[in-house]
Amino acid sequence: MQCEKPRRLGERTVEYGLAAMDFCGTLPRTAAGRHIADQMLRSATSVAANYAEASEAESPADFIHKLKLAQKELKESRVWLLFASRLAPGGAIEPLMAESRELLLMIGKSINTASARMQRKAIGA
């Protein structure tokens, strides 16, 4: 039996944005549905864009800053998912919520690791 290759964080952020795009297409075409879909699309797709920018950071501080932007966008997209829960079946929202939780943990760990390395380097350890 062959094990599935783990997906890289960058790939997962893109897949999250694509899943959000698909989800937003299912929301009703009401004023609330359009508003939530527009905001959700912006925040969820921005996660991948900010992660891609972090991958090309000019310094460790820039890397951390861009990861924190990705983290903020993930948190925002979770809020829009909560609003969307009034308009969409819960079963459609839970996979996105679960993936956002995992991505938040992974990005948070990356921020902590990079921050610790930067601090060690600053004190000459």
Side-chain angles (χ1 to χ4, degrees):
M1 184 166 127
Q2 187 175 355
C3 293
E4 184 178 324
K5 180 180 173 185
R7 293 174 296 151
R8 299 181 69 158
L9 183 54
E11 293 169 357
R12 286 181 69 168
T13 63
V14 170
E15 290 171 8
Y16 179 76
L18 292 170
M21 287 171 55
D22 292 342
F23 170 75
C24 288
T26 68
L27 292 176
R29 307 252 184 259
T30 61
R34 285 190 306 273
H35 177 71
I36 291 167
D38 288 347
Q39 296 293 338
M40 177 71 193
L41 280 172
R42 284 183 186 94
S43 60
T45 56
S46 182
V47 175
N50 282 301
Y51 185 82
E53 286 189 30
S55 298
E56 300 296 324
E58 296 174 6
S59 68
D62 188 37
F63 176 75
I64 292 166
H65 172 70
K66 289 179 174 144
L67 282 181
K68 285 183 177 183
L69 290 174
Q71 187 180 51
K72 282 177 61 174
E73 295 295 338
L74 264 169
K75 289 177 180 179
E76 181 182 341
S77 69
R78 289 171 57 86
V79 171
W80 292 114
L81 282 170
L82 291 173
F83 285 127
S85 68
R86 288 278 181 108
L87 305 175
I93 290 171
E94 187 48 42
L96 281 167
M97 287 296 268
E99 183 64 0
S100 68
R101 278 190 297 272
E102 288 185 30
L103 290 172
L104 279 169
L105 289 171
M106 294 167 75
I107 289 172
K109 179 67 174 167
S110 294
I111 290 168
N112 291 342
T113 300
S115 295
R117 284 184 184 155
M118 200 166 80
Q119 287 176 346
R120 281 194 304 269
K121 190 172 184 175
I123 61 171

